[in-house]
Coordinates of all heavy atoms in Angstrom, one line a residue:
A197 N 1.3 49.4 -27.1 CA 1.4 48.0 -27.6 C 1.9 47.1 -26.6 O 3.0 47.2 -26.0 CB 2.3 48.0 -28.8
A198 N 1.0 46.1 -26.2 CA 1.3 45.2 -25.2 C 1.1 43.7 -25.6 O 1.2 42.8 -24.9 CB 0.5 45.4 -23.9
S199 N 0.8 43.6 -26.9 CA 0.6 42.3 -27.5 C 1.1 42.2 -28.9 O 1.4 43.2 -29.5 CB -0.9 41.9 -27.5 OG -1.6 42.7 -28.5
T200 N 1.3 41.0 -29.4 CA 1.8 40.8 -30.8 C 0.9 41.5 -31.8 O 1.3 42.1 -32.7 CB 1.9 39.3 -31.1 OG1 2.8 38.7 -30.1 CG2 2.5 39.1 -32.5
T201 N -0.5 41.3 -31.6 CA -1.4 41.9 -32.5 C -1.3 43.4 -32.5 O -1.3 44.0 -33.6 CB -2.8 41.5 -32.1 OG1 -3.0 40.1 -32.1 CG2 -3.9 42.2 -33.0
Q202 N -1.1 44.0 -31.4 CA -1.0 45.5 -31.3 C 0.3 46.0 -31.9 O 0.4 47.0 -32.6 CB -1.1 46.0 -29.8 CG -2.4 45.8 -29.2 CD -2.5 46.1 -27.7 OE1 -1.4 45.9 -27.0 NE2 -3.6 46.6 -27.2
C203 N 1.4 45.2 -31.8 CA 2.6 45.5 -32.4 C 2.5 45.4 -33.9 O 3.1 46.2 -34.7 CB 3.8 44.6 -32.0 SG 4.2 44.9 -30.2
K204 N 1.8 44.4 -34.4 CA 1.6 44.3 -35.9 C 0.8 45.4 -36.4 O 0.9 45.9 -37.6 CB 0.9 43.0 -36.2 CG 1.8 41.7 -36.0 CD 1.1 40.4 -36.3 CE 2.0 39.3 -36.1 NZ 1.4 38.0 -36.4
L205 N -0.2 46.0 -35.6 CA -0.9 47.2 -36.0 C 0.0 48.3 -36.2 O -0.1 49.2 -37.1 CB -2.0 47.4 -35.0 CG -2.9 48.7 -35.3 CD1 -3.6 48.5 -36.6 CD2 -3.9 48.9 -34.2
V206 N 1.0 48.5 -35.2 CA 2.0 49.5 -35.4 C 2.7 49.4 -36.7 O 3.0 50.4 -37.4 CB 3.0 49.5 -34.2 CG1 4.1 50.6 -34.4 CG2 2.2 49.8 -32.9
T207 N 3.1 48.2 -37.0 CA 3.9 48.0 -38.3 C 3.1 48.3 -39.5 O 3.6 49.0 -40.4 CB 4.3 46.5 -38.4 OG1 5.2 46.2 -37.3 CG2 4.9 46.2 -39.6
E208 N 1.8 48.0 -39.4 CA 0.9 48.3 -40.6 C 0.8 49.8 -40.7 O 0.8 50.3 -41.8 CB -0.5 47.6 -40.3 CG -1.4 47.8 -41.5 CD -1.3 46.9 -42.7 OE1 -0.3 46.1 -42.6 OE2 -2.0 47.1 -43.7
T209 N 0.6 50.5 -39.6 CA 0.4 52.0 -39.7 C 1.7 52.6 -40.1 O 1.6 53.5 -41.0 CB 0.1 52.5 -38.2 OG1 -1.1 51.8 -37.8 CG2 -0.2 54.0 -38.3
A210 N 2.9 52.2 -39.7 CA 4.1 52.7 -40.1 C 4.3 52.5 -41.6 O 4.8 53.3 -42.4 CB 5.3 52.1 -39.3
L211 N 4.0 51.3 -42.1 CA 4.1 51.0 -43.5 C 3.2 51.9 -44.4 O 3.6 52.3 -45.4 CB 3.8 49.5 -43.7 CG 4.8 48.5 -43.4 CD1 4.3 47.1 -43.5 CD2 6.1 48.7 -44.2
E212 N 2.0 52.2 -43.9 CA 1.1 53.1 -44.6 C 1.8 54.4 -44.7 O 1.8 55.1 -45.8 CB -0.2 53.3 -43.8 CG -1.1 52.1 -43.9 CD -2.4 52.3 -43.1 OE1 -2.6 53.4 -42.5 OE2 -3.2 51.3 -42.9
G213 N 2.4 54.9 -43.6 CA 3.2 56.1 -43.6 C 4.3 56.1 -44.7 O 4.5 57.1 -45.4
L214 N 5.0 55.0 -44.8 CA 6.1 54.9 -45.7 C 5.6 54.9 -47.2 O 6.3 55.3 -48.1 CB 6.9 53.6 -45.4 CG 7.8 53.8 -44.2 CD1 8.4 52.4 -43.8 CD2 9.0 54.7 -44.5
Y215 N 4.4 54.3 -47.4 CA 3.8 54.4 -48.7 C 3.5 55.9 -49.1 O 3.7 56.3 -50.3 CB 2.5 53.6 -48.8 CG 2.8 52.2 -49.3 CD1 2.9 51.1 -48.3 CD2 2.8 51.8 -50.6 CE1 3.1 49.8 -48.8 CE2 3.0 50.6 -51.0 CZ 3.2 49.5 -50.1 OH 3.5 48.3 -50.5
Y216 N 3.1 56.6 -48.2 CA 2.8 58.1 -48.4 C 4.2 58.7 -48.7 O 4.3 59.7 -49.5 CB 2.1 58.7 -47.2 CG 0.6 58.4 -47.2 CD1 0.1 57.6 -46.3 CD2 -0.2 59.0 -48.2 CE1 -1.3 57.3 -46.2 CE2 -1.6 58.7 -48.2 CZ -2.1 57.9 -47.2 OH -3.4 57.6 -47.2
V217 N 5.2 58.3 -48.0 CA 6.5 58.9 -48.3 C 7.0 58.6 -49.7 O 7.5 59.4 -50.4 CB 7.6 58.4 -47.2 CG1 9.0 58.7 -47.7 CG2 7.3 58.9 -45.8
R218 N 6.8 57.3 -50.1 CA 7.2 57.0 -51.5 C 6.4 57.8 -52.5 O 6.9 58.2 -53.5 CB 6.9 55.5 -51.7 CG 7.9 54.5 -51.1 CD 7.5 53.1 -51.3 NE 7.3 52.8 -52.7 CZ 8.2 52.4 -53.5 NH1 9.5 52.2 -53.1 NH2 7.9 52.0 -54.8
A219 N 5.1 58.1 -52.1 CA 4.3 58.9 -53.0 C 4.8 60.3 -53.1 O 4.9 60.9 -54.2 CB 2.8 58.9 -52.6
A220 N 5.3 60.8 -52.0 CA 5.8 62.2 -52.0 C 7.1 62.3 -52.8 O 7.3 63.2 -53.5 CB 6.1 62.6 -50.5
R221 N 7.9 61.3 -52.6 CA 9.2 61.2 -53.3 C 8.9 61.1 -54.9 O 9.6 61.8 -55.7 CB 10.1 60.1 -52.9 CG 10.5 60.2 -51.4 CD 11.3 59.0 -51.0 NE 12.6 58.9 -51.7 CZ 13.7 59.5 -51.2 NH1 13.7 60.1 -50.0 NH2 14.8 59.3 -51.9
T222 N 7.9 60.3 -55.2 CA 7.6 60.2 -56.6 C 7.0 61.5 -57.2 O 7.4 61.9 -58.3 CB 6.5 59.2 -56.8 OG1 7.0 57.9 -56.4 CG2 6.0 59.0 -58.2
A223 N 6.2 62.2 -56.4 CA 5.7 63.5 -56.8 C 6.8 64.5 -57.0 O 6.6 65.5 -57.7 CB 4.7 64.0 -55.8
M224 N 7.9 64.4 -56.3 CA 9.1 65.3 -56.5 C 10.1 64.8 -57.4 O 11.2 65.3 -57.4 CB 9.6 65.6 -55.1 CG 8.7 66.3 -54.1 SD 9.5 66.9 -52.6 CE 9.7 65.2 -51.7
D225 N 9.8 63.8 -58.2 CA 10.7 63.1 -59.2 C 12.0 62.6 -58.5 O 13.0 62.7 -59.1 CB 11.1 64.2 -60.3 CG 9.8 64.6 -61.1 OD1 9.0 63.7 -61.4 OD2 9.7 65.7 -61.5
M226 N 11.8 62.1 -57.3 CA 12.9 61.5 -56.6 C 12.8 60.0 -56.7 O 11.7 59.4 -57.0 CB 13.0 62.0 -55.1 CG 13.1 63.4 -54.9 SD 12.9 63.9 -53.2 CE 14.2 63.1 -52.4
D227 N 13.9 59.3 -56.4 CA 13.9 57.8 -56.3 C 13.0 57.5 -55.2 O 13.2 57.9 -54.0 CB 15.3 57.4 -56.0 CG 15.4 55.8 -55.9 OD1 14.3 55.1 -55.9 OD2 16.5 55.3 -55.8

Side-chain angles (χ1 to χ4, degrees):
S199 68
T200 301
T201 299
Q202 291 172 331
C203 289
K204 288 180 178 179
L205 179 59
V206 176
T207 296
E208 181 80 1
T209 303
L211 283 173
E212 287 178 9
L214 285 168
Y215 268 96
Y216 283 109
V217 168
R218 281 176 58 87
R221 295 176 68 92
T222 297
M224 294 187 288
D225 295 323
M226 298 173 64
D227 181 352

